[in-house]
Amino acid sequence: MQKKGEQMRILKGNPVSPGLALASIYIYKAFKADVHESYFPAGQEEEHFLKFKDAIEMAEKELNEIVTSMSAESPDKAKIFTAHTEILLDEEIEEGVREMIYESHAMPDYAVDEVFSEFAKLLEKAKDPLIAARAADLRDVRNRVLRILKGEKENNLSSLRENCIVVAHDLLPSDTATMDRQRVMGIITEVGGATSHTAILARGYKIPAVLGVKDATEILNNGDNVILDALKGTVLVEPDKDTIEVYRQKLVEYIQEERQTSEYLDRIPLVASGERYSVGLNIGGTEPEEGFKYVDYVGLFRTEFLYMGSEYMPTEEEQFQAYRKVLANAMGNPVTLRTLDIGGDKTLKYMALPKEDNPFLGNRALRLCLQHMDMFRTQLRAALRASAFGNLQIMFPMVGTMDDIRAANKVVAEVKAELRAEGIAFDERVKVGIMIEIPSIALISDQAVKEVDFGSVGTNDLTQYLHAVDRMNPAITDYYHSMSPAMFRVLGKVFEEYNKAGKEISVCGELAGDHMAALVMFGLGLRKFSMNASNIARVKRTLSLFTLEEAKEIAKKVLNLATQAEVIEFVKGEIEKKN
Ligand code: PEP
Ligand code: MG
């Protein structure tokens, strides 16, 4: 609570996942082991070995606490930490460290680093992927012991002890994907915009988030009480009693409004004049979600999250099982599996990618897959095999040219031929399409449409490439105009060409889930909108208020406005008139 005479501080950022939260701060800084080769003078062996033993004891205590706190809610995660205790108490490892301390006089941190790393390397070489994966567990345990030896406190998002608002410079998508969702009430980061993957995951998990809060990790302290207003984009530090009261009231109202909108969740998607459109779901994992109940298709299955949540390159069999599971979750509806989209802000721990000056303009997604053919073929084999068990379609990200389409289609044809020769079943009619997220492929939609089964617009990247605005850079979020007249002109052309050719066209970028943009896009001819579950109700509600003719009129006007601000003001006004 704020102390007498102190001013409540207000920090500002981009509200990227709506909601309100009142909780204490947890500063997340991933521990980096910084170990150097170092030795102690003879005669201190016992003292240093005891330091090591104390660290092991402390680590065991930490792990026991995690297992106890997790075993009720997440027994699967708890098992991982039980396995960590086994590694920690491994006799061979202890013997290795003892030897280095007593015989070579190695400092305990150096000895721990050497011995654990040695064992991890051995495991990594194992043919069985499950054994190889244990290397990452070993490194995790090593880091725990090293952190304790350095006297630093525990810092881990997957095993939080109490409810908190996480503050970090940046969260890797893997941090967000593995974090303890029950305990994280909100997210604040210093970098990242509305379409960064942290933002997308936060929305998917319905966790309020404000990103791009300058110097948040410096200004805020562990344990500070804050109000996170992810409707406005503010962080109120150590609020006074009155402010807390006001926000409690706001929270009640927000929940009420959400409840009213949620009545539209399971309505049939119709506009006021009766035309039907389709709502799709965007997913990043294999877990069954409630959203599947309210949609006609999965418009975007971001498969890279399977790769990012793994400690090693997932095998064909593992991917096949994962894809089958998603098809089962979709209950017969089409699932659009997007092939691996890494590079940009997404990396894999087990795949070293050269550092690039402009990663979003670099070796990303399909480009990278075409250069790592084994990885690409493995994914396509798994996807095609899964296609025998449901309604699967395959989609390529970051397509910029007809050459990309042809190269990718060629690999699909080769993999199909391989499966046929091996007598492995797959759906011969599986649809293969592209993401339209680079202007160069949007502008030749008339040609691209002839060589694909469907298109799906990735408006997150399309905005960044059309406007030359890095989607991750908080300094230029004011330039990231996904609702600019320029965007709607390009989108209108794309919808027109695909509709003319009688091929499916969907939007799976964040714009599809924005109720104002969805209205304009409906007027421009779009009938398939794929989004995060949290946006379905609002989009259905807004579209239900307008007739097709009204939506067309609105779209026509939007194309002739000059700025994004004008577009938003105009569309907002039209919606308010109906409310
Ligand atoms: C997009 O770019 O709009 C998209 C859906 O892909 P991602 O956000 O994963 O880059
Ligand atoms: Mg994209």
Side-chain angles (χ1 to χ4, degrees):
M1 187 85 72
Q2 187 191 345
K3 290 182 200 85
K4 256 205 165 133
E6 258 181 23
Q7 277 274 317
M8 172 174 71
R9 294 192 69 175
I10 301 179
L11 314 178
K12 291 212 170 85
N14 309 313
V16 299
S17 175
L20 298 164
L22 174 62
S24 60
I25 289 297
Y26 176 75
I27 308 265
Y28 176 64
K29 279 189 189 141
F31 171 74
K32 280 207 182 76
D34 183 19
V35 179
H36 303 283
E37 181 175 351
S38 51
Y39 301 91
F40 55 82
Q44 300 176 356
E45 293 81 357
E46 187 153 350
E47 180 193 325
H48 286 291
F49 186 65
L50 278 179
K51 268 193 203 146
F52 163 70
K53 288 295 279 181
D54 284 349
I56 295 287
E57 198 178 308
M58 182 70 181
E60 189 183 0
K61 214 167 128 214
E62 280 184 5
L63 286 167
N64 285 344
E65 278 175 25
I66 295 173
V67 173
T68 315
S69 72
M70 274 189 171
S71 42
E73 280 172 22
S74 344
D76 282 351
K77 272 195 190 173
K79 272 191 216 146
I80 299 174
F81 293 98
T82 308
H84 282 196
T85 312
E86 283 164 21
I87 295 172
L88 182 76
L89 303 178
D90 186 282
E91 283 175 9
E92 265 188 84
I93 293 180
E94 180 178 326
E95 200 37 49
V97 175
R98 170 194 278 277
E99 231 175 80
M100 278 195 72
I101 291 178
Y102 275 91
E103 286 168 26
S104 315
H105 299 162
M107 288 297 278
D109 61 342
Y110 175 51
V112 165
D113 191 38
E114 281 289 295
V115 175
F116 275 78
S117 305
E118 191 64 33
F119 277 89
K121 272 187 214 142
L122 280 177
L123 284 179
E124 250 167 9
K125 288 194 191 123
K127 285 241 158 56
D128 182 341
L130 289 176
I131 297 181
R134 302 283 295 210
D137 290 312
L138 238 113
R139 294 207 171 91
D140 241 2
V141 178
R142 173 199 61 188
N143 285 355
R144 184 176 292 279
V145 179
L146 288 177
R147 174 179 51 73
I148 294 170
L149 282 170
K150 296 235 181 252
E152 285 188 31
K153 288 231 168 68
E154 166 140 52
N155 210 359
N156 186 337
L157 287 185
S158 67
S159 57
L160 296 165
R161 308 258 165 87
E162 49 191 48
N163 291 354
C164 62
I165 292 173
V166 170
V167 179
H169 171 66
D170 189 13
L171 288 176
L172 293 172
S174 55
D175 290 326
T176 327
T178 56
M179 86 188 161
D180 188 348
R181 289 194 240 164
Q182 255 85 36
R183 299 257 150 88
V184 177
M185 302 287 106
I187 295 174
I188 299 170
T189 65
E190 293 174 338
V191 298
T195 54
S196 65
H197 290 94
T198 297
I200 291 169
L201 282 178
R203 279 193 290 276
Y205 295 161
K206 295 196 174 163
I207 299 175
V210 175
L211 309 189
V213 180
K214 207 163 167 270
D215 301 331
T217 59
E218 304 297 317
I219 298 167
L220 296 165
N221 298 301
N222 268 323
D224 280 355
N225 286 312
V226 302
I227 291 171
L228 177 69
D229 183 341
L231 301 172
K232 275 209 223 134
T234 52
V235 180
L236 282 60
V237 190
E238 295 294 350
D240 53 49
K241 258 196 193 148
D242 294 347
T243 313
I244 293 177
E245 222 13 78
V246 169
Y247 266 88
R248 289 231 160 93
Q249 187 55 33
K250 269 196 185 177
L251 190 58
V252 173
E253 285 163 17
Y254 177 71
I255 292 168
Q256 253 168 15
E257 210 223 285
E258 281 287 286
R259 205 170 286 145
Q260 276 167 11
T261 310
S262 70
E263 283 170 17
Y264 284 80
L265 243 185
D266 57 1
R267 301 250 179 118
I268 298 172
L270 293 175
V271 291
S273 46
E275 286 81 4
R276 172 100 157 74
Y277 60 94
S278 300
V279 173
L281 186 67
N282 291 353
I283 57 169
T286 57
E287 291 314 308
E289 299 180 22
E290 212 203 329
F292 282 104
K293 280 202 298 210
Y294 310 117
V295 297
D296 306 307
Y297 69 112
V298 172
L300 174 61
F301 169 24
R302 288 184 165 96
T303 57
E304 56 274 10
F305 289 116
L306 296 183
Y307 289 71
M308 290 187 319
S310 172
E311 301 294 342
Y312 56 93
M313 190 67 79
T315 63
E316 177 184 323
E317 189 57 27
E318 284 169 317
Q319 291 188 52
F320 165 65
Q321 296 298 351
Y323 303 157
R324 259 186 82 166
K325 204 166 154 201
V326 172
L327 286 167
N329 293 340
M331 298 171 288
N333 283 331
V335 171
T336 317
L337 179 151
R338 177 174 78 181
T339 56
L340 187 58
D341 182 354
I342 48 163
D345 64 337
K346 290 178 287 193
T347 53
L348 300 178
K349 322 181 198 177
Y350 44 85
M351 186 176 176
L353 297 173
K355 207 169 159 32
E356 295 175 303
D357 285 342
N358 294 300
F360 275 110
L361 298 181
N363 205 359
R364 194 192 149 188
L366 180 64
R367 297 172 181 176
L368 200 89
C369 285
L370 288 169
Q371 283 177 16
H372 291 82
M373 241 356 147
D374 279 355
M375 181 176 83
F376 194 33
R377 281 172 178 274
T378 303
Q379 181 170 37
L380 289 173
R381 274 181 70 94
L384 283 165
R385 281 174 58 197
S387 72
F389 296 87
N391 192 345
L392 187 93
Q393 30 195 49
I394 296 172
M395 175 165 81
F396 303 118
M398 274 293 277
V399 169
T401 61
M402 295 303 294
D403 304 314
D404 287 342
I405 296 178
R406 289 170 189 163
N409 281 344
K410 183 165 168 263
V411 186
V412 173
E414 285 166 8
V415 173
K416 277 183 170 179
E418 202 174 273
L419 291 175
R420 256 180 238 121
E422 291 170 32
I424 297 175
F426 65 93
D427 178 3
E428 285 282 355
R429 293 154 310 150
V430 70
K431 287 189 176 159
V432 181
I434 55 166
M435 288 203 67
I436 301 164
E437 47 188 354
I438 302 183
S440 57
I441 206 69
L443 291 171
I444 56 166
S445 286
D446 56 330
Q447 296 178 31
V449 72
K450 292 184 193 143
E451 300 193 23
V452 301
D453 295 322
F454 66 91
S456 181
V457 189
T459 50
N460 310 336
D461 279 315
L462 186 60
T463 305
Q464 86 165 339
Y465 297 132
L466 189 64
H467 291 268
V469 180
D470 180 349
R471 69 196 254 191
M472 294 299 289
N473 187 341
I476 49 171
T477 41
D478 283 349
Y479 289 86
Y480 186 88
H481 289 177
S482 45
M483 286 189 53
S484 68
M487 272 295 281
F488 288 119
R489 285 191 190 189
V490 174
L491 290 169
K493 280 313 276 176
V494 172
F495 303 157
E496 191 186 318
E497 292 300 342
Y498 279 76
N499 285 337
K500 203 158 76 188
K503 298 258 174 96
E504 257 177 45
I505 181 74
S506 168
V507 169
C508 65
E510 293 299 296
L511 217 55
D514 181 302
H515 68 131
M516 291 191 283
L519 174 60
V520 179
M521 293 193 291
F522 187 85
L524 290 172
L526 183 69
R527 295 293 176 269
K528 290 177 75 105
F529 303 77
S530 191
M531 61 195 77
N532 287 319
S534 57
N535 294 323
I536 297 173
R538 191 169 295 275
V539 168
K540 283 188 182 177
R541 181 171 187 273
T542 297
L543 290 192
S544 76
L545 303 172
F546 292 84
T547 64
L548 171 61
E549 280 317 308
E550 285 169 334
K552 278 188 180 168
E553 262 318 293
I554 289 171
K556 211 162 116 193
K557 288 209 178 113
V558 161
L559 294 186
N560 290 307
L561 292 175
T563 66
Q564 166 169 277
E566 286 176 19
V567 173
I568 293 176
E569 196 193 337
F570 167 64
V571 181
K572 216 183 215 166
E574 293 299 304
I575 296 173
E576 268 161 19
K577 277 192 222 157
K578 296 275 184 183
N579 277 312

